[in-house]
Amino acid sequence: MQRRKFVEMGAVCALALTAALPARAEAERPILVAASFDAMAELVKAVGGSLVRVETLIPPGAEPHDFTPTVKTTQLLRAASVLVVNGFGMEPWAKKIAAAAENPRLMLVTASEGAVPVKNSDPDEIAEHGADDPHLWLSLSGAEIEARNIAEALAKADPKNAEAYRMQFTLFKGKLHVLKTQYSARFRNVKRRFFVTGHAAFAYLCRDFNLEQKSVEGVFAEGEPTPKRLAELAIELKKAGVRTVFAEKLLSPAVSKTLAQEAGARVETIYTMESAEDGKNYLERMRSNLEKIESALDE
Ligand SMILES: [Zn+2]
Protein backbone atom coordinates (compact mmCIF):
# COMPACT_ATOMS: atom_id res chain seq x y z
CA MET A 1 0.00 0.00 0.00
CA GLN A 2 2.70 2.32 1.13
CA ARG A 3 4.66 1.47 -2.00
CA ARG A 4 1.69 2.03 -4.28
CA LYS A 5 1.21 5.47 -2.78
CA PHE A 6 4.77 6.37 -3.66
CA VAL A 7 4.22 5.26 -7.22
CA GLU A 8 1.08 7.36 -7.42
CA MET A 9 2.84 10.33 -5.93
CA GLY A 10 5.60 9.86 -8.43
CA ALA A 11 3.06 9.87 -11.23
CA VAL A 12 1.44 13.03 -9.87
CA CYS A 13 4.82 14.74 -9.64
CA ALA A 14 5.68 13.71 -13.18
CA LEU A 15 2.37 15.11 -14.34
CA ALA A 16 2.95 18.37 -12.50
CA LEU A 17 6.37 18.60 -14.08
CA THR A 18 5.01 17.97 -17.57
CA ALA A 19 2.38 20.63 -17.00
CA ALA A 20 5.06 23.07 -15.89
CA LEU A 21 7.36 22.34 -18.83
CA PRO A 22 5.74 24.30 -21.66
CA ALA A 23 5.84 27.53 -19.67
CA ARG A 24 9.46 26.88 -18.73
CA ALA A 25 10.46 26.09 -22.31
CA GLU A 26 8.67 29.23 -23.48
CA ALA A 27 10.57 31.35 -21.00
CA GLU A 28 13.95 29.87 -21.96
CA ARG A 29 13.54 29.56 -25.68
CA PRO A 30 16.78 30.73 -27.32
CA ILE A 31 16.64 34.09 -29.06
CA LEU A 32 17.06 34.08 -32.84
CA VAL A 33 20.21 35.86 -33.97
CA ALA A 34 21.01 36.48 -37.63
CA ALA A 35 24.70 36.75 -38.51
CA SER A 36 25.93 38.02 -41.86
CA PHE A 37 28.54 35.28 -42.49
CA ASP A 38 30.20 32.33 -40.78
CA ALA A 39 32.77 34.12 -38.57
CA MET A 40 30.05 36.35 -37.13
CA ALA A 41 27.87 33.30 -36.44
CA GLU A 42 30.82 31.60 -34.71
CA LEU A 43 31.43 34.59 -32.45
CA VAL A 44 27.71 34.72 -31.60
CA LYS A 45 27.86 31.02 -30.66
CA ALA A 46 30.99 31.61 -28.58
CA VAL A 47 29.27 34.17 -26.31
CA GLY A 48 25.64 33.07 -26.74
CA GLY A 49 25.96 29.30 -26.29
CA SER A 50 22.60 27.56 -25.87
CA LEU A 51 20.83 30.86 -25.17
CA VAL A 52 20.86 31.71 -28.87
CA ARG A 53 19.94 30.13 -32.18
CA VAL A 54 22.11 31.50 -34.97
CA GLU A 55 21.25 31.67 -38.66
CA THR A 56 23.72 32.85 -41.27
CA LEU A 57 22.43 35.23 -43.97
CA ILE A 58 25.11 34.39 -46.52
CA PRO A 59 24.60 30.74 -47.48
CA PRO A 60 27.48 28.27 -47.03
CA GLY A 61 29.84 28.30 -49.97
CA ALA A 62 28.76 31.78 -51.17
CA GLU A 63 31.41 34.49 -51.42
CA PRO A 64 30.60 37.01 -48.66
CA HIS A 65 32.50 39.87 -50.34
CA ASP A 66 30.04 39.88 -53.25
CA PHE A 67 26.81 38.86 -51.54
CA THR A 68 23.46 40.37 -52.54
CA PRO A 69 20.54 39.91 -50.10
CA THR A 70 17.50 37.93 -51.24
CA VAL A 71 13.85 37.55 -50.18
CA LYS A 72 15.01 34.80 -47.82
CA THR A 73 17.29 37.29 -46.05
CA THR A 74 14.35 39.59 -45.34
CA GLN A 75 12.21 36.70 -44.11
CA LEU A 76 14.86 35.65 -41.63
CA LEU A 77 15.26 39.21 -40.37
CA ARG A 78 11.50 39.48 -39.74
CA ALA A 79 11.85 36.77 -37.09
CA ALA A 80 15.27 37.68 -35.61
CA SER A 81 15.99 39.75 -32.50
CA VAL A 82 19.53 40.70 -33.46
CA LEU A 83 21.46 41.05 -36.73
CA VAL A 84 25.23 40.85 -36.31
CA VAL A 85 27.44 42.19 -39.10
CA ASN A 86 31.20 42.72 -39.20
CA GLY A 87 31.25 46.20 -40.73
CA PHE A 88 34.38 47.82 -42.23
CA GLY A 89 32.70 47.64 -45.66
CA MET A 90 31.99 43.88 -45.55
CA GLU A 91 28.17 44.21 -45.59
CA PRO A 92 27.30 47.50 -47.32
CA TRP A 93 23.71 46.22 -47.61
CA ALA A 94 23.17 45.77 -43.85
CA LYS A 95 21.21 48.91 -42.94
CA LYS A 96 18.96 48.72 -45.95
CA ILE A 97 18.10 45.07 -45.48
CA ALA A 98 17.51 45.56 -41.73
CA ALA A 99 15.06 48.40 -42.51
CA ALA A 100 13.33 46.35 -45.22
CA ALA A 101 12.51 43.65 -42.67
CA GLU A 102 10.18 46.11 -40.85
CA ASN A 103 10.89 44.37 -37.57
CA PRO A 104 10.86 46.90 -34.70
CA ARG A 105 12.55 44.37 -32.36
CA LEU A 106 15.53 43.84 -34.67
CA MET A 107 18.78 45.24 -33.27
CA LEU A 108 21.58 45.83 -35.80
CA VAL A 109 25.03 45.27 -34.30
CA THR A 110 28.30 46.18 -36.01
CA ALA A 111 30.82 43.88 -34.34
CA SER A 112 33.92 45.83 -35.42
CA GLU A 113 32.77 49.04 -33.71
CA GLY A 114 35.59 50.63 -31.73
CA ALA A 115 38.37 48.72 -33.53
CA VAL A 116 41.13 50.61 -35.33
CA PRO A 117 40.90 49.69 -39.03
CA VAL A 118 43.77 48.61 -41.26
CA LYS A 119 43.47 50.71 -44.40
CA ASN A 120 43.21 49.04 -47.81
CA SER A 121 46.05 50.03 -50.07
CA ASP A 122 44.93 48.48 -53.35
CA PRO A 123 42.87 50.99 -55.44
CA ASP A 124 40.59 48.25 -56.83
CA GLU A 125 39.92 46.95 -53.35
CA ILE A 126 39.07 50.48 -52.15
CA ALA A 127 36.71 51.00 -55.09
CA GLU A 128 34.98 47.70 -54.41
CA HIS A 129 34.91 47.47 -50.61
CA GLY A 130 35.78 50.89 -49.22
CA ALA A 131 38.76 52.30 -47.35
CA ASP A 132 39.03 49.71 -44.57
CA ASP A 133 40.25 46.13 -44.66
CA PRO A 134 37.28 44.12 -43.31
CA HIS A 135 39.08 40.97 -42.04
CA LEU A 136 39.17 41.95 -38.35
CA TRP A 137 37.78 38.57 -37.17
CA LEU A 138 40.94 36.76 -38.28
CA SER A 139 42.98 38.36 -35.50
CA LEU A 140 42.75 37.41 -31.82
CA SER A 141 42.49 41.02 -30.60
CA GLY A 142 39.93 41.73 -33.32
CA ALA A 143 37.85 38.74 -32.25
CA GLU A 144 37.93 40.02 -28.67
CA ILE A 145 36.48 43.39 -29.69
CA GLU A 146 33.86 41.75 -31.88
CA ALA A 147 32.84 39.17 -29.26
CA ARG A 148 32.54 41.91 -26.61
CA ASN A 149 30.26 44.02 -28.84
CA ILE A 150 28.17 40.95 -29.63
CA ALA A 151 27.88 39.93 -25.95
CA GLU A 152 26.76 43.46 -25.00
CA ALA A 153 24.16 43.45 -27.78
CA LEU A 154 22.82 40.05 -26.71
CA ALA A 155 22.65 41.30 -23.10
CA LYS A 156 20.52 44.20 -24.29
CA ALA A 157 18.27 42.08 -26.50
CA ASP A 158 17.83 39.39 -23.83
CA PRO A 159 18.33 41.24 -20.49
CA LYS A 160 17.35 38.35 -18.21
CA ASN A 161 20.43 36.46 -19.45
CA ALA A 162 22.74 39.50 -19.53
CA GLU A 163 25.11 38.10 -16.92
CA ALA A 164 25.38 34.76 -18.73
CA TYR A 165 26.43 36.49 -21.98
CA ARG A 166 29.04 38.55 -20.13
CA MET A 167 30.38 35.50 -18.35
CA GLN A 168 30.65 33.51 -21.60
CA PHE A 169 32.46 36.45 -23.18
CA THR A 170 34.95 36.52 -20.28
CA LEU A 171 35.63 32.80 -20.75
CA PHE A 172 36.08 33.23 -24.51
CA LYS A 173 38.37 36.24 -23.99
CA GLY A 174 40.51 34.11 -21.66
CA LYS A 175 40.97 31.51 -24.40
CA LEU A 176 41.91 34.20 -26.94
CA HIS A 177 44.47 35.61 -24.50
CA VAL A 178 46.05 32.21 -23.92
CA LEU A 179 46.52 31.78 -27.69
CA LYS A 180 47.87 35.31 -28.07
CA THR A 181 50.45 34.87 -25.31
CA GLN A 182 51.47 31.47 -26.66
CA TYR A 183 51.97 32.66 -30.24
CA SER A 184 53.55 36.01 -29.35
CA ALA A 185 56.34 33.93 -27.82
CA ARG A 186 56.48 31.38 -30.66
CA PHE A 187 56.53 33.99 -33.45
CA ARG A 188 59.45 35.79 -31.79
CA ASN A 189 62.01 33.20 -32.87
CA VAL A 190 60.89 32.22 -36.37
CA LYS A 191 63.14 32.36 -39.46
CA ARG A 192 61.16 34.91 -41.47
CA ARG A 193 58.46 37.50 -40.78
CA PHE A 194 56.26 36.97 -43.85
CA PHE A 195 54.05 34.25 -45.29
CA VAL A 196 52.49 33.85 -48.74
CA THR A 197 48.73 33.51 -49.08
CA GLY A 198 46.08 33.64 -51.80
CA HIS A 199 43.47 36.02 -50.36
CA ALA A 200 44.87 39.01 -48.44
CA ALA A 201 42.77 38.32 -45.35
CA PHE A 202 45.41 38.39 -42.59
CA ALA A 203 46.42 42.04 -42.17
CA TYR A 204 44.94 42.21 -38.63
CA LEU A 205 46.56 38.95 -37.59
CA CYS A 206 49.85 40.30 -38.92
CA ARG A 207 49.35 43.54 -36.97
CA ASP A 208 48.85 41.51 -33.76
CA PHE A 209 52.10 39.62 -34.21
CA ASN A 210 54.25 42.02 -36.21
CA LEU A 211 54.19 39.77 -39.29
CA GLU A 212 53.62 40.43 -42.98
CA GLN A 213 51.36 38.75 -45.54
CA LYS A 214 52.27 38.61 -49.21
CA SER A 215 49.15 37.77 -51.13
CA VAL A 216 48.98 36.17 -54.54
CA GLU A 217 45.76 38.15 -55.04
CA GLY A 218 47.60 41.41 -54.24
CA VAL A 219 50.33 40.72 -56.79
CA PHE A 220 47.90 39.55 -59.44
CA ALA A 221 44.94 41.83 -58.79
CA GLU A 222 44.44 42.22 -62.52
CA GLY A 223 43.41 38.75 -63.64
CA GLU A 224 45.80 35.90 -64.35
CA PRO A 225 49.51 36.59 -64.07
CA THR A 226 51.74 36.32 -67.08
CA PRO A 227 54.01 33.25 -67.06
CA LYS A 228 56.97 35.64 -66.86
CA ARG A 229 55.68 37.39 -63.72
CA LEU A 230 54.81 34.05 -62.17
CA ALA A 231 58.32 32.74 -62.83
CA GLU A 232 59.85 35.88 -61.30
CA LEU A 233 57.73 35.53 -58.18
CA ALA A 234 58.58 31.84 -57.90
CA ILE A 235 62.29 32.74 -57.98
CA GLU A 236 61.72 35.35 -55.22
CA LEU A 237 59.99 32.78 -53.05
CA LYS A 238 62.71 30.19 -53.67
CA LYS A 239 65.41 32.71 -52.73
CA ALA A 240 63.55 33.54 -49.53
CA GLY A 241 63.29 29.81 -48.76
CA VAL A 242 59.48 29.85 -48.77
CA ARG A 243 58.14 26.31 -48.80
CA THR A 244 54.45 26.94 -48.16
CA VAL A 245 51.87 28.90 -50.14
CA PHE A 246 48.52 29.23 -48.37
CA ALA A 247 45.23 28.93 -50.25
CA GLU A 248 41.64 29.47 -49.11
CA LYS A 249 38.74 27.19 -49.86
CA LEU A 250 36.36 29.74 -51.37
CA LEU A 251 38.64 31.66 -53.67
CA SER A 252 40.12 29.84 -56.61
CA PRO A 253 43.47 28.49 -55.45
CA ALA A 254 44.60 27.80 -59.03
CA VAL A 255 47.20 30.58 -59.16
CA SER A 256 48.48 29.71 -55.69
CA LYS A 257 48.92 26.12 -56.85
CA THR A 258 50.83 27.08 -59.99
CA LEU A 259 53.03 29.46 -58.03
CA ALA A 260 53.73 26.83 -55.37
CA GLN A 261 54.65 24.29 -58.03
CA GLU A 262 57.09 26.67 -59.73
CA ALA A 263 58.65 27.65 -56.42
CA GLY A 264 58.94 24.06 -55.24
CA ALA A 265 56.59 24.84 -52.36
CA ARG A 266 53.47 23.06 -51.13
CA VAL A 267 49.92 24.43 -50.94
CA GLU A 268 48.41 24.48 -47.47
CA THR A 269 44.81 25.34 -46.61
CA ILE A 270 44.21 28.33 -44.36
CA TYR A 271 40.83 29.26 -42.88
CA THR A 272 39.25 32.65 -43.61
CA MET A 273 36.01 31.82 -41.75
CA GLU A 274 34.06 33.58 -44.48
CA SER A 275 32.07 30.36 -44.83
CA ALA A 276 31.77 27.17 -42.77
CA GLU A 277 34.97 25.12 -43.03
CA ASP A 278 35.53 21.48 -42.02
CA GLY A 279 32.89 21.65 -39.24
CA LYS A 280 35.35 23.56 -37.05
CA ASN A 281 34.46 26.39 -34.65
CA TYR A 282 36.21 29.74 -34.25
CA LEU A 283 38.97 28.68 -31.85
CA GLU A 284 39.69 25.43 -33.67
CA ARG A 285 40.22 27.25 -36.95
CA MET A 286 42.23 30.02 -35.31
CA ARG A 287 44.51 27.47 -33.64
CA SER A 288 44.97 25.65 -36.95
CA ASN A 289 45.84 28.89 -38.78
CA LEU A 290 48.37 29.93 -36.15
CA GLU A 291 49.99 26.51 -36.09
CA LYS A 292 50.33 26.39 -39.88
CA ILE A 293 51.60 29.97 -40.10
CA GLU A 294 54.22 29.20 -37.47
CA SER A 295 55.51 26.20 -39.42
CA ALA A 296 55.54 28.20 -42.65
CA LEU A 297 57.58 30.99 -41.02
CA ASP A 298 60.07 28.59 -39.56
CA GLU A 299 60.81 26.13 -42.38
ZN1 LIG B 1 37.91 38.16 -47.46
Side-chain angles (χ1 to χ4, degrees):
M1 189 67 199
Q2 199 64 10
R3 196 168 162 216
R4 170 125 190 239
K5 218 171 191 171
F6 267 125
V7 174
E8 270 171 7
M9 264 178 73
V12 170
C13 284
L15 244 166
L17 257 176
T18 322
L21 265 179
R24 206 180 129 89
E26 188 65 35
E28 291 188 1
R29 204 165 58 184
I31 60 165
L32 177 61
V33 179
S36 53
F37 61 98
D38 191 66
M40 295 302 107
E42 283 300 323
L43 294 177
V44 171
K45 284 182 205 162
V47 296
S50 60
L51 298 169
V52 298
R53 184 162 74 80
V54 195
E55 293 277 349
T56 310
L57 294 185
I58 300 174
E63 224 306 340
H65 290 282
D66 303 316
F67 173 71
T68 315
T70 63
V71 178
K72 232 178 144 185
T73 325
T74 320
Q75 279 167 353
L76 174 57
L77 294 182
R78 282 214 175 107
S81 307
V82 182
L83 166 59
V84 177
V85 298
N86 176 74
F88 283 167
M90 191 70 177
E91 306 94 342
W93 38 264
K95 265 194 187 141
K96 212 170 146 194
I97 198 74
E102 295 179 334
N103 172 0
R105 262 184 323 129
L106 184 67
M107 187 191 290
L108 174 61
V109 185
T110 304
S112 62
E113 208 170 285
V116 179
V118 167
K119 294 290 173 191
N120 277 326
S121 54
D122 179 57
D124 292 332
E125 196 73 12
I126 294 169
E128 211 177 326
H129 298 302
D132 302 327
D133 182 327
H135 302 94
L136 183 67
W137 66 91
L138 287 169
S139 93
L140 295 165
S141 54
E144 182 180 334
I145 293 171
E146 302 208 280
R148 175 182 281 121
N149 285 334
I150 293 168
E152 282 310 313
L154 295 178
K156 243 185 237 162
D158 183 19
K160 69 181 184 308
N161 288 315
E163 274 322 297
Y165 294 121
R166 291 190 181 115
M167 203 151 82
Q168 289 181 123
F169 164 68
T170 306
L171 284 173
F172 184 64
K173 184 175 87 173
K175 290 175 186 166
L176 295 173
H177 280 197
V178 167
L179 270 181
K180 200 171 175 191
T181 310
Q182 214 175 3
Y183 278 91
S184 296
R186 289 191 186 180
F187 286 149
R188 214 166 285 144
N189 302 314
V190 286
K191 278 190 199 154
R192 71 184 71 81
R193 305 302 306 171
F194 74 89
F195 57 94
V196 181
T197 189
H199 179 41
F202 300 93
Y204 291 92
L205 182 140
C206 288
R207 186 170 73 180
D208 274 2
F209 293 113
N210 191 25
L211 299 172
E212 198 193 329
Q213 66 175 344
K214 288 189 193 289
S215 84
V216 177
E217 180 186 67
V219 178
F220 307 127
E222 290 300 309
E224 290 287 297
T226 61
K228 185 171 170 268
R229 183 72 192 100
L230 200 66
E232 281 167 5
L233 200 72
I235 291 168
E236 272 176 50
L237 297 190
K238 253 190 196 163
K239 265 194 200 151
V242 171
R243 296 212 195 105
T244 303
V245 173
F246 288 111
E248 301 73 23
K249 286 206 163 162
L250 274 189
L251 291 136
S252 161
V255 182
S256 300
K257 269 187 192 145
T258 316
L259 176 66
Q261 248 163 29
E262 297 225 359
R266 67 168 186 280
V267 177
E268 187 73 74
T269 306
I270 197 161
Y271 295 125
T272 61
M273 308 197 210
E274 292 176 4
S275 198
E277 291 152 316
D278 297 340
K280 289 188 158 70
N281 70 19
Y282 182 88
L283 284 170
E284 287 164 342
R285 280 181 274 177
M286 189 48 112
R287 239 178 247 127
S288 164
N289 281 357
L290 291 168
E291 232 172 75
K292 286 182 179 179
I293 290 169
E294 189 200 359
S295 344
L297 294 173
D298 215 20
E299 61 193 3

